[in-house]
Amino acid sequence: MATGIIQLLKRHKAQVLDTWIQKQLANEELREDLMTNDDLRTQSEELIDMLAKTLTEENINQIDSADFDEVFELLATISISRARQGFSPRETGLYIFSLKEAIFELLQKQLVDAPATLYTEVLKVSRLLDSFGVVTLETFIKGREEVIYRQTEEIADISTPVIQVWDGILALPIIGTLDSARTQVVMESLLQRIVDTGSSIAILDISGVPAVDSLVAQHLIKTVSATRLMGADCIISGIRPEIAQTVVHLGIDLSNIITKASLASALKHAFSMNKLVVKRIDVVEKKAF
Amino acid sequence: MDKIPILRMGQFLLVTIQIDLYDRLALNLETDLVSMVHKTGARGVLIDISAVSIVDSFMGRILGNIASMTRILDAETVVVGMQPAVAITLIELGLSLTGVHTALDVERGMALLETKLGPMDLMADEDDNSE
C-alpha cells in the first residue's frame, strides 16, 4: 500500500520534523533554559531518522521486536540526559507524545480521502508511540533513581567527617540518624583515622543525631567497643536532655562509656586524660616579658 | 610446625604474632603463654596482633581466654595494634573482649602495663633483686 505510514513517514520526514519542532516550540512550558533550540532539533532529527530507518510494515505491530532495540537505546539516552539536565517527567513524556501529534497531522493531511485507512494507521502509530513514551518514562525514573542513589552515597560520605581536634584527639560529629550501613562507614573511617594519626582518644559527638532509639544506641556502643579494641578511648558527647531521657527510659546501659553533655566538656576530659593543660596567659604578664 | 615466640622483657612477656593464626597454633600459644607466665612469674603479657588481618570467633575467644587465665596468675594482658577490619569483625561477632586491655601500639601497650602495675612492681623488682 503506497499510502502506508512507513512510506509516508520516509517521504515526509522533514515535514514531520518541522511540525514536531514547531509544536514543541509553541509549548509554553518549553525549557529553553535547559536546552537550546539547536540541540532540541538535533535530538529530534536523530530520533525521527532512526524511526524511519527501523520501522517496517511487519514490526510496526510488534513493539517488543528486536528491530526497536536501537530506537529504545536512543530513547534511553535522550531520557537519561534529560533527567540529568533537570527536566520533569511530564516534559520528557510530552516530548515523545508531541511527536505522535505531528505524525497524526501528516496522516490526516495525506489520508483525507480514506478515513478507514487513516483510522488503522493512527491506531498503529498511537500504539507504537505510547510504548515509546512508557520506555522513556521508565528510563527517566531509572536515571533519577541513579542520581538519588549517588547523592545518598555522597551525603553518607560527607556527613561523617573525622576531625583531628588536637594532637592525639579525634572528633567525629555524627549528623543524621545512625543505621547499620552508616555505622559501618563511621566505624571504618574512625578506626582508619585512629591508625593513621595514632590518636588515643576519639570523641563521638551526637548533637546532630535527631533521636536515639535502642538500635541507634546499639550502633553507638558497637562503635565505642571497636575503638576500645583498637586501643583508643571513646567519649560520647553532645547528649541532649531528651536523648538522656529516652536512653534511660529504654533501659540502655551506657555506664561503661564515658558520656559528656557537650563537645567542649568532652574535649576538656580528653585533655585531662592526655595530661594536657590549657592555660589563659595573663596579658599583663605577657607584656612584662 | 610453626611456633609463636614468647619473649621475656623484664617482668613482662612479649608475643608478636606475625602470621594469621589457625586454630591449632592459637591453642598452642595459649598453652605456651600460660605456662610461661607461671614459670617466669611475669606481671604482664603484651600481645601484638598488628600483622593479623583475619580473625574468627575462635581466635577472639582464645584472646579472651588468655586474658582470663593470666589474670588468675596475677598478670594483666594488653592486646596492641589491632587492625580496623579486625576490630570491626570482632564487634560484629559480638566479641568485645571485656577484660582485655588494648593499646594502639607496642610502646603505648608497655606504658599501659607499667602504669597498671606501677607501684606494686617496684616492690616486686626489689624482691627479684634480693633473691
Side-chain angles (χ1 to χ4, degrees), chain A residues 47 71-72 74-76 78-80 82 89 91-97 129-143:
Chain A
L47 185 61
V71 184
F72 285 154
L74 180 66
L75 282 174
I78 293 175
S79 186
I80 286 177
R82 282 181 166 241
E91 284 155 353
T92 312
L94 283 180
Y95 169 71
I96 299 299
F97 293 132
L129 283 172
D130 281 353
S131 106
F132 283 179
V134 170
V135 169
T136 317
L137 284 182
E138 271 173 1
T139 11
F140 188 89
I141 293 165
K142 220 183 278 169

Side-chain angles (χ1 to χ4, degrees), chain B residues 1-6 14-17 21-36 45 47-49 59 62-63 66 69:
Chain B
M1 178 157 182
D2 295 326
K3 202 169 167 67
I4 293 173
I6 302 169
L14 178 62
V15 182
T16 315
I17 302 172
L21 283 178
Y22 48 90
D23 293 1
R24 183 94 216 134
L25 194 60
L27 279 173
N28 284 348
L29 175 67
E30 183 187 290
T31 320
D32 290 353
L33 197 55
V34 177
S35 50
M36 261 305 249
V45 175
I47 305 175
D48 174 35
I49 58 164
M59 159 85 182
I62 293 279
L63 283 176
I66 289 177
M69 291 168 188

Side-chain angles (χ1 to χ4, degrees), chain A residues 184 187-188 191-192 194-195 197-200 221-223 225-232, chain B residues 79 81-84 86-88 90-92 95-104 108:
Chain A
Q184 195 76 16
M187 250 202 249
E188 272 168 25
L191 299 190
Q192 195 52 52
I194 288 176
V195 176
T197 59
S199 302
S200 54
I221 293 169
K222 259 190 192 175
T223 315
S225 311
T227 42
R228 202 193 66 83
L229 278 184
M230 297 279 303
Chain B
V79 172
M82 191 181 289
Q83 296 291 325
V86 173
I88 292 173
L90 285 181
I91 293 303
E92 294 299 336
L95 297 160
S96 53
L97 299 187
T98 35
V100 182
H101 302 294
T102 49
L104 277 179
R108 288 175 212 227

Side-chain angles (χ1 to χ4, degrees), chain B residues 11 43 114 117-130:
Chain B
Q11 50 189 340
R43 301 299 315 280
E114 268 155 22
L117 309 166
M120 280 189 299
D121 286 322
L122 290 175
M123 282 166 62
D125 264 346
E126 280 163 19
D127 284 351
D128 279 348
N129 293 341
S130 62

Side-chain angles (χ1 to χ4, degrees), chain A residues 35-50:
Chain A
M35 200 177 203
T36 63
N37 289 350
D38 284 343
D39 283 344
L40 184 68
R41 203 180 171 85
T42 330
Q43 201 176 62
S44 309
E45 200 172 358
E46 207 182 336
L47 185 61
I48 289 187
D49 279 346
M50 182 74 83

